[in-house]
Structures are given as structure tokens and as C-alpha cells.
Amino acid sequence: MLLLKLAWRSLWRNRRRTIITITAITLALTMAIFFIAFAEGVYAKMIDDAVRMQAGHLTVEHPEYRAAPAIDLTVEASAGLRRRIEALPGVEATKALVVGQGVARAGQGTSGVAVLGVEPEAERRSSPLARKLVAGSYFDRSDAAEVVLGLELARRLGLGSRRQAQKIVDFWWPSLSGFRRQRADWVEDLRPYLAPGRKLVIASNNADGELVEELARVRGVFSTGAVEVDGYLVQLPIDFARRLYGLAPGAANQLGVILGRADDLERIRLRVQKMVGRTSRVWTWKQVLPDLAAYIEVDGGSNMIFQGILFVLVLFVIFNTILMSVLERRREWAVLLAIGTTPGRLRGQIALESALLGLLGCLFGEALGGWLAHLLELHGLDLRTFYPNGLSVSGIAMDPIIHADLTWQLLVVCGLVVFLSTMLVSLYPMGQLRRIRLADVLRG
Amino acid sequence: MLTVRLAWRNLWRNRRRTVITVAAVALNTAVLIASYGLMDGMVVDTVHNITYLTVGDAQAHAPGYRREHSLYQDLQDPQALLAAADRAGIGAAPRAYGFGLVSSGSKSAGARFWGVVPARELQAFELARQLRQGRFLDEVSLPAGKRPVVLGNKLARSLHATVGSELVAVVQAVDGSLGNELFTVVGVLKTAGEDIDRTAAIIRHDDFAELFVSGGRVHEIAFNARGRLTPEQVVTLLQPAAAGAELLTWKKILPQLADMVQLFDAVIWIFGLIFMLAAALGVVNTLLMSTFERIHEFGVLKALGAGPLRIVRDVAAEAFLLALLSTLIGVAVGVVATVYLQHHGIDLSGLGGDITFGGVAFNPIWRATLTARIVWVPVVSMWLVCVLAALYPAAKAARLNVVRALTHV
Amino acid sequence: MKTETMLGTLLVMGLAAGPLAAGSGRDARAILDKVDDLYRSRSSHARMVMRVVTEHWSRELTMEAWTKGKEKSLVRILAPKKEKGMATLKVGNDIWNWLPKVKRVMKVPSSMMSDSWMGSHFTNDDMVKESRMADDYDFQVTFSGERRGKQVVEITCIPKPQAPVEWGQVVVLVEDGSWLPLLMTYYDEDGELARTFTFSAVKKMGGRTIPTEMRIVPANKPGEYTLVRYQDIEFDVELPDDMFSLRRLRR
């Protein structure tokens, strides 16, 4: 106890030095926590957006589906199974998807399309697509003969009334004529936004291999910024898609599982696999989107290196401080030793001083770092102004609003690392202690 | 002059303290230089990944081509642009593009054909070297009469094709007839971006002209100055030869990527600032402590009659010398480290795979770049920090009462 | 490359028309039945010339075609020299092309279905469509009388609400009495013209009196058209099943 008091007092005797050291430790820890939480937030966002455009963090499919996708390779997506999966801790939602191909025919154009049969409720909540509608609205019934398609596709199919577009352009012409563009170009650009309500025929081969066609109307038009999506993807309400492709109600090509957090992936995957049995296979998003997984790993690697450099610099500060203090205090220690303090006790005092420094620094660091990261977690950083043209990663459009991802593990690990390093660094002065030759030091 | 010599001697009077301080500043400088080298290297690498593969610094197209990709929208005078580029020592690769069908056995798929001049591709761009299997198009590899093709890896996979596979190409030619030819796969590309992976079928320019009856049309010329010029300079230089063609930098052609690089740069800059602060902290700390140590010494000087200005001047001179010595060492070490990192880089892969980000392939080896900027910024900052950090306590001491100084502990 | 779909005026595809519904006036149903069945038979064998004119080129192909039912058809190109010997086989929903120059058979993938066939104004998708639009329209006679020196009957067809038809309206113009089609115009939902079929050169062929020339004009590319002219046609001929096989395709 006495040792503690001595250590504490001796720290505050040289206030400046103590404050500098504590500040260095605090800063190191704050920056580590903040930036790692931020980076994790970025990755989480990328994964989240990418995954919600697909089936989910986990995808349940027919075992042969991945190698050779075909409309007749389905999995059971019954309400009972889904409820059981959703009851697992960490699972946010499940969704069923029908995935096919076809040809879309409109009065003024035709195009090959990728067809996605979706559940309106689930998609509206979780899919970025539903949030990127530029005209019309999203589905609300799962059996309506409607489609939602991309702006680029709408343009290519010549959807949208030219007459109506012409009227609008003519009306606004006084303001538009300032721009150096032809009236006809304005009309053509405007037309896809007028697509909602227009007719479209979807033709395809169904599960039995027969040619099928269905009439549908455009319900909404989206624009994600990714050409592959905007130019070729058509979403249908899932029961309409089932009808088109001749699938049983409740059948799906993919059953997606969306998690609240992207960790615990493997554990949940195993549990879901057990639930679905041998008739289906469960894939993780890393297997479905290997490019994204690889990017995150590489970027994470470089991030770690940055953190490492920062850490080295800061450790250096701490080391330096302690070193200087050793030099400064040799005289003080010599005196102490001369009056009878045992080397053991002196070492103990020094160790305690370092521990206190470390503790205080870590305390402030955790508080400050944690607080800043938490703020960012709540409010998020809107980077859209930096990406006026949209952002896509591995072919998937992303919304650049980042929330930091702060976890207990992060706080604990960072704090521990910094504290231990501080203690390690202070081993040096202990070594120095042994080399003090009392008489020389006292003489000055 | 006397001041300087005195300062120098002063420094070495307390050898241990000086050595520690010099080491501190030198190390911090070196770390800063190497880190900046790595960070700049990352940005440069990212831009290179984008531009050296196929895109280049700038590209020329007929107006409207980028939107419609029509076979009939070709460049009026590609020869003029090629000649101008050659004269300026800028790599230039002319390409013809057309869409059609490729079929191998029972599998067929839509493809985008590239008619290229292999020698120019090899010289100006990296794509020709990014092969997962086989080789790029060159005259030697096939028996006469066989036409070589290089495929994107996803296209090859969907056709179940590898090196040696035979492909049928069917296209609608310029004159409306149905062009069809046999090709032999000589190479499969590594990941080079979604577009290329899924649709690229690269053939020789002559074979393209025969298949499409295109008479040597060129739809695109991509220019690569390989870092000797900025993209804007390339455009300015070649503009006179453009003759109505649309000549744009890669930033205008791939605005999404340009945004990404810009943001990246900003993030790196912020990191750089933080590193600077950390380094400064270390230096300040060291200097403050060493100067405060000497308050007693300054007290003695004052007692002997030295004026406050004299003390500050002496301290400044010492700080100056210290900074000089430390940064010299720091620069030496830092530059050596940077050069090493430039050559060897840090291998981040550990995954064995290739990646695309934003539609562009990624090189997982992280290299540093040695530029003037990464050296002088840390040096100047460290200098400033040294001098300021030494002056503060000195000024304090200079104004102190002699007695207080003498008894300062 | 054209993106228009042409709804069956060539033998290899079912005729687009055949709208049947509660008509009124001049026995509209009977008229439409006749138009529908004009080129239909259990099997057929024909020779024709197809001329395609586009913005950038124009070509003329001479072809010979065999059909059996709705499922099977074989088309072989006789001229010009570059395409001579090329053949397209359709069985059910699958299409294969034979390329004599490289001596290979190629299957047309489903993703290419919306691309044009042989560069004309109709698509691969048309080749497999079983366009039986018998139940797809409501129609009525909208004009009966003289136009440009001819006695004509005009029938306007509106697609039924659920019919898988992308048009807003189809107008069929036939010659009164013979009920041979003169003109078919397709309009999109806006009422804007999408494309026009013109029928002419009525002759007696294969035991029937039929228009032997058809021209398809897409509305959004005015200078372009595809013209098909029958040189000869036989209906209900005996055709062996194995004629529609990959083996025969390679010949």
C-alpha cells in the first residue's frame, strides 16, 4: 500500500512527464479503437449491401444448383422451416428467391433479362434495390403480375409514353433550352421514368422446358448505378414468378438467411445445414461472393499494417518518455538506494508507476475512443458527396453511409495490447537500475 | 560561427542524452518516410491497377461510341493518333470491338470480340501478361491457318474451354452477312474485371477484320504513358491529331473509379496527418525533457551573466544541429527502407486468388513509391517540431529567476 | 442488330394473327380465321427470297424451308455464296445452326433469343414462339368499303387484359370477298405505330391463292425493312420425322 502511494506521488511530482506519457497512451488507444471500428463498419456495410442484393449471408440451394443453375432445381422454403431458422440467435430474417432467365418484350423493344422472383415484404425491408426506385413504387402483393426493372432496361425497351414525355418536355422547354441538348434527347431520357403502368411480356422456358409467356405491367423503375443490374435485372413478385415458371407454391431456387451481424457465420451455417438436411446445401456469402471476401481480407491486411505503424510510433513515445525519466531520476534512485531502499522495493515502485501510467492512459483511451466510435456508430458518416457517381464493389452497387462497428472484443483487445506493451516497455528502466553505481551517480 | 561550434560541443557534452534524442528524431523521420512511401505506393498502385491493365491514361473513340457500342461508329483517322502517340513515346493500342456468339461443343455464349495488335498490347498494357493459362496472341504459337483467341476466365468456364479448345465464332458482319470462323483457344486470362472475365474474346486485328468484314475499322485507341505524363497531359498532347474523335482521360471514362481513388487519397492523407502527430509527439516529448533537464545549467549560465536572448539563441542553435543530424540519419534509413519496400513490397494476398474491386483487377502486393514528397514533408515537419520543442522550455528558462533556475530539479 | 419481334409471317413460325373473339358485322371471326390459316398446314415445303435493308447494309438471301406441325422446322440457305449451305433447325424450343464453312453445328443459347435471326427484323425468339393468339384479342370491324380503288374490310383488335401481348392494338386490313390480308399494323400502348406488315403479289401456289410477298417495316427505323417473297410453296407434304434431326442438319 505504501508502495502504491509512493508510486502515485512520484508520478505527479513530475507532472509534465506523466501527462505527456498518459496522453500518448490515450491517443494511441483512441486512434486504434476509432479506426478499427470505422474500418469494420466499412466492411460490414459492404458485406451488408452486397449480401442483401443476393439471397443473404447464407444461401440454401439445391446441391447441384451452384454448379449449373437451372429453374427446376429448387429447395423447400416452407413456413415451418423458415420460422425455425429465424428463431436461431443472430438470424434477422429469411427470404425466398426464384431465379430465372427470360426475354422481355415491349412495344418498342426486346431484351434478354435476368428474372428474380422476390417476396415484396422481405425485399422492401432489406434490399437496397427497393430503396433506389426512381419512378413508380415497389410491390405490395406477392402474386401481382407486375415487374420492377432498371432504368437502363426501361430505356432499352422503349418503355414510357413518348407522347407524354413530349408534352412534359414541351412544357418545360423554356427552362431546358438553355442546355445544349436536343428536345428529342430530353424526351428519350425522360421516357423510362414514365414506364410505370406500361405493358411488358415476359417469355421464358419453365421448369418443364416449355415456352411460357405472361403479361405484366411495370410497377416501379430503379437505378442502382451498376450497369449489370440496371440493364438486365427484372424483379417479379414471387408467386407471379412461381406461376410463370411452373413451380409449386413455397418452392424457391434460393432460400436466403440474413444475419444481424456478419460474425458467427460458420456456426449458424452448420445449424441451418442440420435443419435443412441432405437435400440442400448451405453456402456462406464468402463462397457466393469470393471477390468481395478477398477484397476485404486484403484491405483488412493493409489496415492492420497502418495500425501497426501507428502503434510502433506511439510505443516509441512511451519508451522515450520512460527512458528519459530513467535518466532524469538516476540521481533520485541512487539517493534512495543509498539510504537503504532495497532494489526490490525500488523495482516494485517503478513497476507500479508504469502500471498506473498504463492504467490511466488506457482508461482515458478507452473512454475517448469508445465514445467517438459510438458516436459514429449511431450517426454514421455520409460519404455520398465523395461518390457523386455512385460506388460499386465487385459489380454490386453500394451506399456509402458508414456506421462504425464497435464491439466489446475490440475494446478489450486494444486496451489489453496497449497496457501490456506499456508494461513491457518499462522493463528497460528496471534493467537500468542494476547498473547504477551509487558513488558515481551521487557525485554527479 | 562560434555559436555553432559551441552548440555542437554542448550537444556532445551529454552524450547519452543527445544520442537518445537524435535516435528518437531519426527513427521517427525514417518511419514517417517509409510509411508515406507505402501510402503513396498504395494510391499509385490503385491507379496503376486501373490504368495499366487495359484502360490506359486516356482513350479515343468516335463520338457516341461509348454509349451505343455500334460497329459502325469507328474512328475516322486512327493512323494519325497512333503516329502522334509513337512520336511522343506514348504507348498506344488500337482495338476493334464487335459482339457475337462463341460456341464450344454444346455450349455457347455471347461474347465481345476484341481485334487487337498483339505487339502493341504487349508494349503498352499489362493484360497481355495476365494469363492464367496459355499465352497471348502471337504469331509463333499456332500452325498456319489456325486463328488464336484469348478468353476471359468466366467465359472460358461457361464454355468449358481451355487452351487447345476449338471455338466457333458467329457474328453479324459489317455488310450484314453472317461471319463465321473457327478459333483455337491459346490463352485464358486471369481476373481482369467483370466485363472482361465474362465476355472477352480477344483475337488478332486481321482475324477480326475477316470475321466482321470490317476493313480494318478501329473503335478505340487506348494510350498509356506509363507514368511519364499525367493523363491530362496525354490528352493535350494528342488532341491535335484527334480529328473529331472524343479523347478523354480515364477519369472521365470511369468516373466511379476516379471517385474511389480520390477518396482513397483523402483517407491516406488523414492517416499521414495522424502519423505526423504521433511522430511529433515523440519528438516533442524527448526534446522537452532534455531541455528541462538543463534548466539548472541555464541557471548557471545566467548567473555567469548570459542574457536571456543568448540562452535562447544557444538552444536554437543546438536544436538546429540536432535536427540536421537526426534528419540526415532519418532520411538515410527511411530512403533505404522505402527502396526495399519498393522492390519487394508487402505481400497481402495469402489467399491465392485474384480480386476485382469496382470492376478492376487488384494486385495484392503492396509496394512503396519513392518520391520527393515523402521525404521532404517528414523532414520539414520534424525540423519544425525540433526547433519549437526546444525553444519553449528554453524561453521559459531564459525568463526564469536565476535562483529558481539554479535550484530547479 | 434488330430488336423488333416479328410475329410470324414466314412459314417457320405460326402466323401472328388468328384473333378470334366475338366479332360483329361482316363475320369478322371467319375473316380472321382465314388470315390465320393462310399459311398453316400440317406440313409445308417452300422456297423464298428474303431481302433485308438496314441503315448500313442490304442483302438478299434465297432459302428453302420445311415445316412439320408447330414444333419442327428446317431452313436452308441457297444463296448468296457466303451463306450457302447454312441451315437452321428448330425442334421444340431449341435451335441449332449449321455452318458449312467451318463444318460445325452451333446451339443458340437462350440468352441470345432476343437477337435478330440472320440479321432480319425478326428474332430467334420468334422462331420458337407458338403464337396462338386465338384467345388473345377482342375485335370488331371498324371499316367496310372502298379505299384506294379496292373493296376492303378493316378489323381492329384490342388485346384482352391478360393476354401475353405487348401491343396496344393490331389493325388487320383484308380485301373484301377474297379476305386476303393487305396490311397489318401493330401499335404500342400509346397508340404509336410499332410496325407494319404489307402483303402483296397474290398468286396461286400449292393449291391456294395467297399473297406471296410480305414486307415488315419497323416504325422506329423508317428506312429499314425485311421483304419475304415466296417463289414456290407446297402444303401438307409428306415429310419424314428424321428430316428434322441434327444428323440431317449437318448435310
Side-chain angles (χ1 to χ4, degrees):
Chain A
M1 216 33 243
L2 177 64
L3 222 55
L4 193 62
K5 274 174 91 175
L6 277 177
W8 182 257
R9 271 218 238 137
S10 119
L11 274 184
W12 292 110
R13 241 185 316 112
N14 191 333
R15 207 152 20 132
R16 183 187 25 87
R17 185 174 64 218
T18 303
I19 289 185
I20 289 183
T21 316
I22 295 182
T23 308
I25 301 176
T26 305
L27 278 176
L29 194 51
T30 304
M31 288 196 278
I33 293 175
F34 183 75
F35 279 107
I36 295 180
F38 181 73
E40 289 297 310
V42 170
Y43 299 146
K45 184 84 176 77
M46 278 185 188
I47 297 172
D48 212 56
D49 270 1
V51 146
R52 281 162 201 269
M53 284 283 296
Q54 310 286 311
H57 294 87
L58 297 172
T59 309
V60 182
E61 295 170 351
H62 187 281
E64 294 163 33
Y65 188 80
R66 192 126 288 272
I71 191 73
D72 56 332
L73 297 175
T74 58
V75 288
E76 173 214 343
S78 70
L81 176 66
R82 291 174 67 171
R83 257 200 306 273
R84 288 205 327 272
I85 296 179
E86 282 164 16
L88 287 174
V91 174
E92 189 182 283
T94 59
K95 63 181 193 180
L97 290 177
V98 169
V99 183
Q101 285 201 332
V103 174
R105 300 200 314 258
Q108 298 283 352
T110 322
S111 173
V113 291
V115 176
L116 203 59
V118 299
E119 295 173 314
E121 252 324 290
E123 279 305 292
R124 189 203 297 270
R125 259 185 289 121
S126 66
S127 165
L129 215 76
R131 285 185 261 126
K132 288 183 198 265
L133 291 175
V134 293
S137 60
Y138 205 66
F139 312 117
D140 51 22
R141 280 174 38 219
S142 68
D143 61 353
E146 295 171 329
V147 309
V148 164
L149 45 59
L151 195 64
E152 196 45 49
L153 183 59
R155 193 198 313 271
R156 219 173 44 244
L157 293 174
L159 288 169
S161 164
R162 183 176 286 131
R163 196 165 299 159
Q164 221 184 335
Q166 186 74 56
K167 274 201 249 170
I168 297 175
V169 170
D170 287 342
F171 180 75
W172 288 104
W173 188 243
S175 346
L176 294 174
S177 54
F179 300 95
R180 282 185 298 148
R181 279 193 106 212
Q182 303 280 33
R183 222 190 271 241
D185 288 338
W186 285 109
V187 170
E188 287 311 308
D189 277 348
L190 185 58
R191 283 180 69 197
Y193 292 92
L194 302 174
R198 307 293 278 182
K199 284 214 275 195
L200 196 64
V201 173
I202 308 272
S204 184
N205 290 317
N206 67 8
D208 297 322
E210 295 166 348
L211 197 68
V212 288
E213 306 177 304
E214 289 279 345
L215 179 72
R217 290 209 177 255
V218 176
R219 171 96 182 190
V221 180
F222 60 79
S223 177
T224 62
V227 168
E228 308 89 54
V229 176
D230 291 350
Y232 294 96
L233 182 65
V234 166
Q235 279 194 346
L236 269 44
I238 196 168
D239 287 318
F240 177 42
R242 286 177 177 136
R243 195 166 70 232
L244 177 70
Y245 288 108
L247 298 177
N253 294 109
Q254 291 180 322
L255 177 63
V257 180
I258 299 179
L259 307 176
R261 311 178 49 84
D263 356 313
D264 254 3
L265 205 58
E266 192 50 36
R267 195 177 55 82
I268 301 184
R269 188 190 79 81
L270 287 168
R271 297 191 65 178
V272 173
Q273 180 74 72
K274 257 208 284 203
M275 279 187 191
V276 298
R278 286 189 175 278
T279 54
S280 318
R281 241 191 104 160
V282 183
W283 303 90
T284 66
W285 68 265
K286 292 187 192 173
Q287 295 162 308
V288 172
L289 297 170
D291 281 354
L292 185 62
Y295 173 76
I296 289 179
E297 235 182 278
V298 166
D299 199 64
S302 64
N303 239 316
M304 277 297 124
I305 293 185
F306 276 137
Q307 296 292 343
I309 295 176
L310 193 58
F311 198 64
V312 160
L313 285 173
V314 167
L315 218 61
F316 188 73
V317 172
I318 300 174
F319 180 75
N320 221 295
T321 317
I322 296 195
L323 184 63
M324 295 306 265
S325 80
V326 162
L327 293 181
E328 271 183 22
R329 298 167 68 190
R330 280 161 85 233
R331 198 141 210 260
E332 174 195 329
W333 292 339
V335 167
L336 283 173
L337 286 170
I339 61 172
T341 320
T342 60
R345 278 193 110 192
L346 194 51
R347 270 201 286 270
Q349 182 183 329
I350 296 173
L352 266 175
E353 282 175 28
S354 301
L356 284 172
L357 278 176
L359 220 59
L360 280 174
C362 283
L363 223 69
F364 287 129
E366 296 266 326
L368 188 59
W371 178 68
L372 285 174
H374 186 63
L375 274 184
L376 195 59
E377 196 173 30
L378 282 179
H379 297 282
L381 185 63
D382 190 341
L383 293 174
R384 274 177 302 195
T385 44
F386 292 103
Y387 287 103
N389 294 300
L391 173 63
S392 79
V393 177
S394 285
I396 297 151
M398 201 184 112
D399 226 356
I401 302 178
I402 315 292
H403 291 261
D405 188 14
L406 186 60
T407 60
W408 288 118
Q409 294 100 304
L410 182 64
L411 286 173
V412 166
V413 169
C414 283
L416 244 111
V417 168
V418 172
F419 183 73
L420 286 174
S421 321
T422 312
M423 293 308 292
L424 238 104
V425 159
S426 62
L427 283 179
Y428 172 76
M430 312 251 239
Q432 276 296 301
L433 213 55
R434 223 174 295 149
R435 301 216 251 117
I436 293 183
R437 289 210 301 267
L438 284 181
D440 292 333
V441 175
L442 286 173
R443 212 177 313 137
Chain B
M1 216 32 240
L2 181 61
T3 320
V4 172
R5 280 177 54 198
L6 266 179
W8 184 254
R9 270 219 242 133
N10 265 337
L11 277 181
W12 293 109
R13 240 183 325 110
N14 188 332
R15 189 132 46 113
R16 191 194 318 232
R17 185 173 63 215
T18 302
V19 165
I20 291 179
T21 313
V22 166
V25 178
L27 198 63
N28 273 301
T29 310
V31 169
L32 273 182
I33 290 177
S35 314
Y36 282 13
L38 276 176
M39 299 197 301
D40 261 6
M42 193 175 238
V43 177
V44 165
D45 261 359
T46 307
V47 173
H48 280 184
N49 280 330
I50 296 168
T51 59
Y52 279 25
L53 199 63
T54 63
V55 175
D57 291 310
Q59 292 186 346
H61 300 100
Y65 181 78
R66 282 188 310 129
R67 182 82 175 262
E68 290 157 36
H69 293 287
S70 161
L71 200 56
Y72 303 96
Q73 284 165 322
D74 57 310
L75 286 167
Q76 298 278 46
D77 191 2
Q79 289 310 319
L81 278 167
L82 287 172
D86 289 343
R87 270 198 306 272
I90 299 174
R95 296 160 184 159
Y97 293 113
F99 291 92
L101 207 62
V102 279
S103 170
S104 171
S106 63
K107 305 261 173 223
S108 34
R112 187 185 196 210
F113 292 91
W114 297 39
V116 304
V117 177
R120 279 187 172 275
E121 291 289 338
L122 275 162
Q123 182 228 9
F125 292 101
E126 294 300 311
L127 187 69
R129 280 172 271 272
Q130 295 295 319
L131 288 165
R132 183 183 275 183
Q133 291 174 34
R135 301 163 57 186
F136 200 62
L137 314 162
D138 46 19
E139 326 306 324
V140 214
S141 54
L142 288 179
K146 294 241 179 196
R147 301 170 196 269
V149 63
V150 171
L151 298 177
N153 58 43
K154 289 193 180 149
L155 180 59
R157 191 148 41 111
S158 63
L159 293 172
H160 291 213
T162 62
V163 175
S165 300
E166 181 193 80
L167 292 184
V168 182
V170 177
V171 307
Q172 178 146 51
V174 161
D175 63 356
S177 64
L178 276 175
N180 53 102
E181 296 290 349
L182 281 177
F183 287 85
T184 307
V185 178
V186 297
V188 176
L189 293 167
K190 287 190 198 167
T191 291
E194 275 302 297
D195 228 17
I196 294 178
D197 291 347
R198 284 218 231 120
T199 65
I202 306 181
I203 58 182
R204 296 187 299 217
H205 200 85
D206 302 329
D207 291 333
F208 184 96
E210 266 197 63
L211 183 64
F212 281 90
V213 191
S214 65
R217 278 166 210 247
V218 170
H219 298 97
E220 174 181 284
I221 304 184
F223 303 99
N224 192 357
R226 288 198 182 265
R228 282 180 32 240
L229 299 169
T230 68
E232 291 75 16
Q233 286 172 327
V234 170
V235 169
T236 316
L237 210 120
L238 295 172
Q239 192 67 60
E246 187 185 67
L247 190 55
L248 296 174
T249 62
W250 70 265
K251 296 175 197 174
K252 296 240 178 69
I253 294 178
L254 299 170
Q256 280 199 10
L257 284 174
D259 287 344
M260 187 184 91
V261 169
Q262 205 182 18
L263 184 64
F264 195 56
D265 214 22
V267 167
I268 295 277
W269 210 81
I270 294 179
F271 264 109
L273 214 62
I274 293 173
F275 284 179
M276 176 74 68
L277 282 173
L281 200 65
V283 167
V284 163
N285 192 24
T286 313
L287 282 167
L288 277 183
M289 292 205 284
S290 64
T291 319
F292 272 117
E293 250 183 32
R294 299 164 64 197
I295 288 199
H296 184 265
E297 184 186 320
F298 296 147
V300 169
L301 284 175
K302 282 191 89 164
L304 290 178
L309 215 59
R310 168 84 190 275
I311 293 185
V312 170
R313 194 187 60 189
D314 282 345
V315 169
E318 281 177 35
F320 183 81
L321 282 177
L322 195 85
L324 189 63
L325 182 60
S326 332
T327 50
L328 272 172
I329 299 177
V331 165
V333 174
V335 167
V336 165
T338 307
V339 168
Y340 173 79
L341 287 170
Q342 191 171 33
H343 268 251
H344 292 267
I346 302 176
D347 191 347
L348 292 171
S349 52
L351 344 121
D354 320 296
I355 328 151
T356 61
F357 174 64
V360 168
F362 222 57
N363 182 351
I365 298 188
W366 186 7
R367 288 180 204 281
T369 303
L370 187 59
T371 61
R373 173 168 90 160
I374 69 165
V375 173
W376 71 254
V377 169
V379 166
V380 167
S381 328
M382 288 292 105
W383 266 60
L384 283 173
V385 167
C386 278
V387 170
L388 290 173
L391 284 181
Y392 167 65
K396 200 154 180 251
R399 282 181 288 121
L400 262 187
N401 178 299
V402 175
V403 173
R404 293 265 289 279
L406 280 173
T407 54
H408 189 272
V409 147
Chain C
M1 287 274 183
K2 308 298 157 287
T3 54
E4 304 308 303
T5 26
M6 188 189 113
L7 296 173
T9 49
L10 263 199
L11 274 179
V12 296
M13 43 198 97
L15 226 206
L20 305 168
S24 63
R26 297 287 214 98
D27 211 354
R29 166 174 299 243
I31 294 177
L32 292 168
D33 267 351
K34 168 143 193 187
V35 174
D36 191 26
D37 293 332
L38 211 49
Y39 300 99
R40 284 203 185 141
S41 58
R42 278 172 322 169
S43 62
S44 69
H45 173 208
R47 273 181 29 131
M48 61 262 229
V49 174
M50 180 172 84
R51 184 188 321 155
V52 183
V53 173
T54 73
E55 185 189 357
H56 299 287
W57 48 265
S58 61
R59 304 201 91 219
E60 209 167 84
L61 294 174
T62 308
M63 306 183 277
E64 191 170 357
W66 298 261
T67 68
K68 186 164 182 179
K70 281 184 309 198
E71 298 280 302
K72 306 197 208 309
S73 72
L74 177 65
V75 178
R76 211 174 275 286
I77 300 182
L78 304 172
K81 210 155 46 117
K82 183 169 180 188
E83 280 92 341
K84 178 169 178 173
M86 273 193 199
T88 301
L89 171 68
K90 158 178 138 53
V91 175
N93 296 334
D94 299 320
I95 302 183
W96 292 270
N97 286 327
W98 162 248
L99 304 164
K101 175 169 174 232
V102 297
K103 299 197 184 29
R104 299 285 187 283
V105 170
M106 200 181 72
K107 184 152 193 272
V108 178
S110 51
S111 57
M112 303 291 276
M113 288 310 218
S114 61
D115 274 17
S116 90
W117 183 73
M118 303 277 180
S120 70
H121 290 94
F122 45 90
T123 68
N124 287 318
D125 186 44
D126 292 325
M127 306 282 281
V128 296
K129 243 188 330 86
E130 290 143 17
S131 25
R132 194 25 55 210
M133 313 233 317
D135 308 307
D136 291 340
Y137 291 88
D138 291 324
F139 58 88
Q140 67 180 60
V141 174
T142 45
F143 177 78
S144 167
E146 183 177 318
R147 253 193 212 158
R148 301 221 211 121
K150 274 207 168 97
Q151 287 293 335
V152 299
V153 179
E154 179 188 88
I155 302 175
T156 302
C157 310
I158 311 279
K160 292 200 172 142
Q162 301 302 349
V165 164
E166 61 269 36
W167 315 114
Q169 179 177 280
V170 179
V171 176
V172 181
L173 192 73
V174 302
E175 192 174 15
D176 199 357
S178 68
W179 292 351
L180 293 173
L182 295 168
L183 194 67
M184 278 170 69
T185 38
Y186 291 78
Y187 297 88
D188 70 10
E189 279 180 282
D190 241 2
E192 288 208 21
L193 184 64
R195 73 228 210 142
T196 313
F197 294 178
T198 318
F199 300 81
S200 53
V202 174
K203 293 205 185 99
K204 199 158 162 134
M205 241 186 226
R208 302 184 189 180
T209 304
I210 46 172
T212 56
E213 276 191 21
M214 266 157 296
R215 180 190 290 249
I216 311 137
V217 180
N220 55 5
K221 305 206 174 165
E224 303 194 2
Y225 65 87
T226 295
L227 173 66
V228 176
R229 192 162 31 94
Y230 286 102
Q231 292 175 329
D232 205 355
I233 186 169
E234 298 169 282
F235 295 102
D236 293 324
V237 288
E238 272 307 311
L239 294 172
D241 264 345
D242 74 349
M243 165 178 257
F244 303 96
S245 66
L246 283 173
R247 226 173 358 102
R248 286 291 291 268
L249 181 66
R250 285 170 207 269
R251 212 166 43 75

